Structure formats: structure tokens, C-alpha cells
Amino acid sequence: MVKGKSRKRIKKDSGPSPKKALQRGTEPNQSDSPLTFDFSNKNWLMGVSQGRFTNKLSDESMYAAYLTEIFHKLIPNIQQNWLEIIRTPGRGSWRHCHQVDNEKIDLVLAITEQIHGHQFRTEKTAGPSLWQFGVTQNIRLFAIHDYTNNHLVPLFVDYHHLVHPNKNFNQPDYERYSFCPISVYMSS
């Protein structure tokens, strides 16, 4: 250090201070960003039984038919019509696409926990982010809508419409079904 010279202190500029708090232009469920599906949770196709609910199938051919319907009809319809679905949930053409009803949340979370463990039992899964999707009379896809990234995380498939049972549409013999694709094809 050189004697006799004093150091100057430089004041750091932290930039201009905001005059108003930033506000989001749209609600999270009104996002115009494209909807994507997050399939990273590999067990969403698992077959389980929970009380009077089961999503096990009769055999491989039933699984192939339903899986084809999910990937050829259900998921493309959700993606192509997402903005309309999110703006008019449970109405019109999208009457089977809506947030999970309050009286069904416990059942849906119990099924989800049986399939995925405790991974999804958080505050994030309750309320408006937990959805049911259906475009036909029987198959329902249950998923979490991640508003931040505008993607759906599939939790499980209700092939037999048993979360919301209906005597006119439910098959009377679903209880005897025992086929789980994950157990059959992924067992070591």
C-alpha cells in the first residue's frame, strides 16, 4: 500500500428501484404456452386395486386397445384443445375434462400414492392442479397440471370409469381383472 494516499470507496449501484410490484399478465391457467406431457413418472400405467376401484385389465389385447386410444385419441385431443378445455372445464365437449371434485380428491390421492408412493402427496396435488381428462365414455386420465411449466404429469388411468362410477357405463365384471402391464412386462 502506498503511504499518504487514501482509498476512495466506490458506491455500488443496485439499479433503479421498481415503482410498482410486477404483476402477471394472465392467470396461470390461462397460459398461451403450448401444453406438454411429462411422462417421467414411469408407473402411471400401473394397474392397482383400491377399495372398489381397480384399473387392472383382462388381458394384453384390452391393454393394447386402451393404450392405443390413450395415445391416438385422448392425449392428442387434450393437446389440440387445451386452451378451450382450460377455459371451459367440465362443460360442453369437455364435460369429462375438469378439476378433480373435492369429494374424490382423497380417493384419487390414495390411488396415486399406491402407484407412486409418497411422491405426489404434497400441497401441490390438491385443488385446481389435480385434473381428470376424458374424451370418451370410459377412459379417464388423472394428472397434475403444472401451471408453471404448462405441462401435465399423468398419475394413473381409470380405464373402467370407477372414480366416478356409473351403472350405465361400468362393466359388472371388472373386479375379476388382474392384468397389470407393469407387472407383466417390467418384472425382473
Side-chain angles (χ1 to χ4, degrees):
M1 184 171 202
V2 179
K3 289 184 181 181
K5 288 190 175 183
S6 64
R7 288 186 158 186
K8 287 185 178 180
R9 294 194 179 238
I10 300 173
K11 185 178 178 183
K12 292 185 180 179
D13 184 17
S14 61
S17 25
K19 294 178 181 168
K20 296 200 296 194
L22 294 176
Q23 294 181 355
R24 184 181 298 241
T26 60
E27 291 297 314
N29 63 349
Q30 300 294 319
S31 173
D32 287 332
S33 63
L35 176 74
T36 58
F37 279 80
D38 176 356
F39 294 109
S40 62
N41 296 297
K42 61 185 179 182
N43 288 335
W44 70 277
L45 291 172
M46 181 180 284
V48 297
S49 296
Q50 175 81 26
R52 296 188 51 90
F53 173 86
T54 187
N55 63 349
K56 293 185 179 181
L57 302 165
S58 64
D59 55 26
E60 293 91 350
S61 63
M62 182 182 259
Y63 174 64
Y66 281 147
L67 197 61
T68 301
E69 186 173 336
I70 289 167
F71 282 102
H72 184 73
K73 188 173 186 180
L74 182 65
I75 289 174
N77 263 309
I78 294 168
Q79 282 188 300
Q80 291 167 5
N81 299 292
W82 178 244
L83 292 177
E84 187 178 342
I85 291 170
I86 200 80
R87 289 182 181 131
T88 60
R91 294 188 304 233
S93 299
W94 313 114
R95 68 182 178 275
H96 303 300
C97 300
H98 53 80
Q99 298 167 5
V100 173
D101 298 332
N102 285 336
E103 66 270 4
K104 299 295 182 175
I105 286 178
D106 289 338
L107 174 61
V108 170
L109 288 176
I111 296 164
T112 300
E113 190 170 307
Q114 186 175 353
I115 293 171
H116 300 282
H118 296 289
Q119 180 177 359
F120 292 107
R121 194 172 266 288
T122 65
E123 295 297 320
K124 193 175 183 180
T125 61
S129 62
L130 192 56
W131 279 72
Q132 164 191 295
F133 298 95
V135 295
T136 64
Q137 292 299 328
N138 54 349
I139 295 178
R140 299 293 183 265
L141 173 65
F142 285 83
I144 293 174
H145 179 219
D146 177 350
Y147 293 124
T148 305
N149 299 308
N150 200 28
H151 64 242
L152 292 175
V153 180
L155 299 173
F156 65 91
V157 180
D158 179 3
Y159 298 104
H160 314 298
H161 199 275
L162 294 174
V163 170
H164 293 279
N166 183 319
K167 292 178 186 177
N168 297 323
F169 297 111
N170 291 122
Q171 303 165 18
D173 56 354
Y174 65 86
E175 291 175 343
R176 68 177 175 81
Y177 294 163
S178 61
F179 179 79
C180 168
I182 303 301
S183 298
V184 171
Y185 298 123
M186 298 296 126
S187 62
S188 315

